[in-house]
Amino acid sequence: MENRVFVVTGVTSGIGKALALDIAETGETLVMIARNADRGSIALKEIALASQNPNIDLQLCDLSILSSVRNVAGILKSRYKKIDVLINNASVYKRKRATTLDGYEEMFATNYLGPFLLTNLLLELLQVAVQTNGSARILNVTAPSTVELNFDDLQSEQEFNSLNAFGATKMANLLFTLALARQLDNTGISVNAVHPGLARSGLMKESFVPLRLFTWLISSPPQKVSKNVAQAAIAPEFKNISGKFLYNGKRIEAPAYAYDRDVQQRLWDMSESLTGLSSTKGITPINDI
């Protein structure tokens, strides 16, 4: 049997880098997606040396820029016949509002909209993995946010609160996960959200000092936290689990708002419009493969 192919975003530090090493140590094929070429190359060298895995690839993508997402999706389609596991891990926090080249608020674009587009563009390769190995997995790394989306101001143009805007992207990840899992039911592609827990990383480096210090004190090393995600990505017992919110290998309940199908659909429709993406309808049920 040929190697499984794992694609992981946000791999240059923190949970993503530790997770990339966890996967590399299995000997499977790892595709690391990074925004910064220099940091990506350093991470690649360190992980390849530590794992002694020759099957590691680095691709560059700025998830906040939709053309960059389309470009890396095209590269992956040209280089790989299939993708077995896609892990959307990349995340940013910005204390001050910033916009992307596409005009979208940066956290919304990086944490949610870019992964939404990337996932949909790679569904074809995930379905090939189902045809080859019987299953494929999508994991969205997120958090149990209780922030409800303001659809009249998704880009926080009228009012910007950094923590609320960040929390909204995590809720969007939950809404997206549950909606996509329902769409892909009975296709062999599982879709789950994973809460890794708090990790000591640079994610909150722009937050105010008291919050940054408090978060650091209650957090764990990324090498420990990454195991929560790696388990859901690798372990065979998670192969047929879909539409769940996972923490430490167990299902947890997402906030009630995340299960609202009308909200899920509204976000999906707006995301399709913002990305110029056509519907995912037409994915083949596994019984028909």
Side-chain angles (χ1 to χ4, degrees), residues 101-115:
L101 291 177
D102 299 306
Y104 301 137
E105 191 276 316
E106 189 169 355
M107 287 188 285
F108 178 79
T110 304
N111 301 354
Y112 168 68
L113 200 60

Side-chain angles (χ1 to χ4, degrees), residues 176-218:
F176 169 49
T177 298
L178 297 171
L180 184 61
R182 195 167 61 254
Q183 287 196 34
L184 297 180
D185 185 38
N186 202 36
T187 64
I189 304 174
S190 66
V191 188
N192 292 294
V194 183
H195 174 39
L198 294 174
R200 292 172 187 157
S201 70
L203 174 62
M204 302 301 291
K205 63 180 181 294
E206 291 191 19
S207 64
F208 292 104
V209 172
L211 175 60
R212 191 164 67 243
L213 291 176
F214 174 74
T215 302
W216 186 271
L217 288 173
I218 63 174

Side-chain angles (χ1 to χ4, degrees), residues 53-178:
N53 184 345
N55 306 307
I56 304 178
D57 182 18
L58 173 67
Q59 295 296 331
L60 300 179
C61 174
D62 186 337
L63 287 165
S64 74
I65 302 173
L66 298 182
S67 60
S68 182
V69 175
R70 289 191 173 88
N71 179 66
V72 79
I75 291 172
L76 294 179
K77 288 178 181 179
S78 69
R79 289 178 64 93
Y80 296 95
K81 297 178 181 178
K82 65 182 177 71
I83 291 174
D84 295 87
V85 182
L86 169 63
I87 305 176
N88 292 307
N89 166 75
S91 187
V92 298
Y93 168 80
K94 294 291 181 180
R95 192 167 75 182
K96 296 182 179 180
R97 187 178 186 275
T99 56
T100 68
L101 291 177
D102 299 306
Y104 301 137
E105 191 276 316
E106 189 169 355
M107 287 188 285
F108 178 79
T110 304
N111 301 354
Y112 168 68
L113 200 60
F116 171 87
L117 178 60
L118 180 65
T119 301
N120 278 282
L121 293 176
L122 296 180
L123 283 177
E124 179 182 335
L125 292 185
L126 287 154
Q127 190 173 25
V128 174
V130 174
Q131 296 168 343
T132 305
N133 299 327
S135 67
R137 308 183 198 188
I138 298 169
L139 296 176
N140 295 318
V141 179
T142 188
S145 171
T146 58
V147 177
E148 298 186 3
L149 304 188
N150 180 359
F151 285 99
D152 295 323
D153 191 26
L154 273 181
Q155 307 305 319
S156 303
E157 294 174 291
Q158 300 169 24
E159 181 179 356
F160 180 77
N161 176 293
S162 62
L163 292 176
N164 280 350
F166 180 74
T169 67
K170 298 305 174 182
M171 174 56 74
N173 293 149
L174 288 170
L175 291 162
F176 169 49
T177 298
L178 297 171

Side-chain angles (χ1 to χ4, degrees), residues 272-286:
E272 283 191 338
S273 176
L274 292 171
T275 59
L277 183 75
S278 59
S279 175
T280 61
K281 290 181 177 64
I283 296 295
T284 308
I286 193 169

Side-chain angles (χ1 to χ4, degrees), residues 4 135 137 190 192 227-228 230-242 244 246 248-250:
R4 287 189 293 171
S135 67
R137 308 183 198 188
S190 66
N192 292 294
K227 300 296 188 290
N228 290 331
Q231 182 182 25
I234 298 168
E237 58 265 31
F238 290 93
K239 182 175 70 172
N240 297 318
I241 294 176
S242 189
K244 309 302 181 187
L246 304 173
N248 199 24
K250 299 178 181 179

